């Protein structure tokens, strides 16, 4: 049998899924044990007990200075910034995607412009954003918007242009005007693609958020990581990185379930 036609059974699939994580964790703890045995005060590779103590300190002990549980306060602030940026990007990207993908006149103006804008490094614009929007919340949200909206709009435009022209012809033959075609034919297709695109761009959105918080913030997950790095507090940094990864994975899972629930007709493909 060709390997391309071999599929893992349920038990084997679970084993293969867990194997990379098990190997990574094992490599970490072995290296940590070796380093701590040589130097008990080593901060580069903290042990499990050190990280548990740090988690307890950050998540379950009130900070004397702020009176808050730092991990949960940072999480709330970062998620608020991230979700606001994603929501704005979705609305703007969907509007541009429809305009450029459906209407030839607006496509001639928007498509080349969005192609050029998508090539600009958003992080290179960060100093300009701080100058224009200030150092408060707006600049951090705008970095996410500027970072992912062009890619989102281009992807939605391409999806709109992939819709068979026969569907447009049939809709117009039945008397539909331009906006009816957009609402009844184009929008359902693009909403499905929008969720998929957001899943693919979640990593970039987190990257822009952490970058903005690291440079100019007084709270947030990225701010906390870059605050404690001066003390080489890897026992705090590693749990924060794992927590950010878990949050991103849960968001991806939520979007996937939303896609299945709202657009079951779009599900399919090889497992």
């Amino acid at each position: 049998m060709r390997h391309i036609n071999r599929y893992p059974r349920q038990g084997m699939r679970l084993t293969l899924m867990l194997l990379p994580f098990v190997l990574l964790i094992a490599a970490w703890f072995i290296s940590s044990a070796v380093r701590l045995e040589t130097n008990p005060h080593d901060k580069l590779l903290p042990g499990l007990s050190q990280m548990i103590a740090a988690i307890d300190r950050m998540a379950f002990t009130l900070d004397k200075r702020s009176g808050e549980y730092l991990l949960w306060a940072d999480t709330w602030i970062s998620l608020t910034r991230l979700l606001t940026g994603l929501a704005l990007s979705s609305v703007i990207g969907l509007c541009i995607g429809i305009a450029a993908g459906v209407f030839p006149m607006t496509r001639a103006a928007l498509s080349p412009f969005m192609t050029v804008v998508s090539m600009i490094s958003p992080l290179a614009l960060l100093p300009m954003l701080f100058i224009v929007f200030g150092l408060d919340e707006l600049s951090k949200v705008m970095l996410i918007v500027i970072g992912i909206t062009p890619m989102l709009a281009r992807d939605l435009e391409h999806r709109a242009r992939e819709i068979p022209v026969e569907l447009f012809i049939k809709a117009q033959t039945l008397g539909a005007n331009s906006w009816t075609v957009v609402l009844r034919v184009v929008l359902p297709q693009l909403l499905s693609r929008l969720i998929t695109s957001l899943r693919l761009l979640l990593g970039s959105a987190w990257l822009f958020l952490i970058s903005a918080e690291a440079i100019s913030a007084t709270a947030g997950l990225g701010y906390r990581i870059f605050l404690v790095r001066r003390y080489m507090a890897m026992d705090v940094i590693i749990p924060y990185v794992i927590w950010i990864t878990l949050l991103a994975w849960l968001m991806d899972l939520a979007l996937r379930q939303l896609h299945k629930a709202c657009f079951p007709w779009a599900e399919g493909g090889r497992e």
Side-chain angles (χ1 to χ4, degrees):
M1 179 183 292
R2 295 181 175 89
H3 290 291
I4 194 173
N5 295 322
R6 296 183 63 185
Y7 292 88
R9 297 180 181 179
Q10 188 63 34
M12 180 60 70
R13 178 178 298 179
L14 180 61
T15 301
L16 292 174
M17 180 184 70
L18 295 177
L19 182 60
F21 297 99
V22 172
L23 292 176
L24 180 63
I25 293 172
W28 172 268
F29 284 115
I30 291 173
S31 301
S32 175
V34 171
R35 290 184 65 93
L36 290 175
E37 185 178 1
T38 304
N39 178 15
H41 301 290
D42 181 74
K43 295 183 177 181
L44 184 61
L45 297 176
L48 180 60
S49 60
Q50 293 171 288
M51 289 191 287
I52 291 176
I55 293 172
D56 179 70
R57 185 171 68 254
M58 301 302 293
F60 304 108
T61 303
L62 279 174
D63 180 63
K64 295 180 180 179
R65 182 176 181 181
S66 63
E68 297 178 325
Y69 297 99
L70 293 179
L71 177 63
W72 309 121
D74 291 335
T75 300
W76 172 257
I77 292 171
S78 291
L79 285 180
T80 301
R81 293 165 178 162
L82 182 72
L83 295 177
T84 302
L86 290 175
L88 290 174
S89 298
S90 298
V91 173
I92 298 171
L94 185 61
C95 292
I96 296 176
I98 292 174
V102 178
F103 302 100
M105 294 296 291
T106 53
R107 180 187 307 156
L110 290 177
S111 187
F113 176 72
M114 295 308 297
T115 300
V116 173
V117 170
S118 67
M119 302 301 172
I120 301 174
S121 172
L123 294 179
L125 299 177
L126 189 54
M128 296 174 56
L129 295 179
F130 286 145
I131 294 172
V132 175
F133 298 108
L135 301 178
D136 294 327
E137 301 301 307
L138 184 57
S139 59
K140 302 170 185 60
V141 172
M142 288 305 300
L143 179 63
I144 298 173
V145 173
I146 293 174
I148 71 172
T149 298
M151 300 302 298
L152 194 61
R154 289 186 66 191
D155 189 54
L156 294 176
E157 175 197 346
H158 287 300
R159 179 65 189 97
R161 296 175 68 173
E162 291 172 356
I163 298 175
V165 68
E166 292 81 6
L167 292 179
F168 293 97
I169 295 174
K170 289 179 180 179
Q172 293 176 77
T173 302
L174 294 173
N177 59 28
S178 297
W179 294 111
T180 303
V181 171
V182 168
L183 293 175
R184 302 296 296 273
V185 178
V186 178
L187 191 58
Q189 301 280 341
L190 293 197
L191 287 177
S192 170
R193 186 59 167 262
L194 174 63
I195 295 176
T196 302
S197 298
L198 283 175
R199 289 181 61 195
L200 296 174
L201 291 170
L202 269 179
S204 298
W206 274 103
L207 170 64
F208 299 137
L209 173 67
I210 298 302
S211 299
E213 289 182 341
I215 295 175
S216 174
T218 56
L221 296 171
Y223 162 78
R224 195 68 55 188
I225 289 174
F226 279 80
L227 178 67
V228 301
R229 70 179 173 84
R230 68 186 65 176
Y231 310 112
M232 294 184 62
M234 294 292 288
D235 56 336
V236 174
I237 294 174
I238 292 174
Y240 261 68
V241 171
I242 294 173
W243 178 239
I244 291 171
T245 305
L246 178 61
L247 290 174
W249 179 79
L250 290 174
M251 292 175 66
D252 178 82
L253 180 63
L255 288 172
R256 182 178 180 182
Q257 296 303 317
L258 178 64
H259 190 268
K260 285 184 177 181
C262 297
F263 307 101
W265 49 265
E267 295 291 322
R270 292 167 60 92
E271 291 293 335

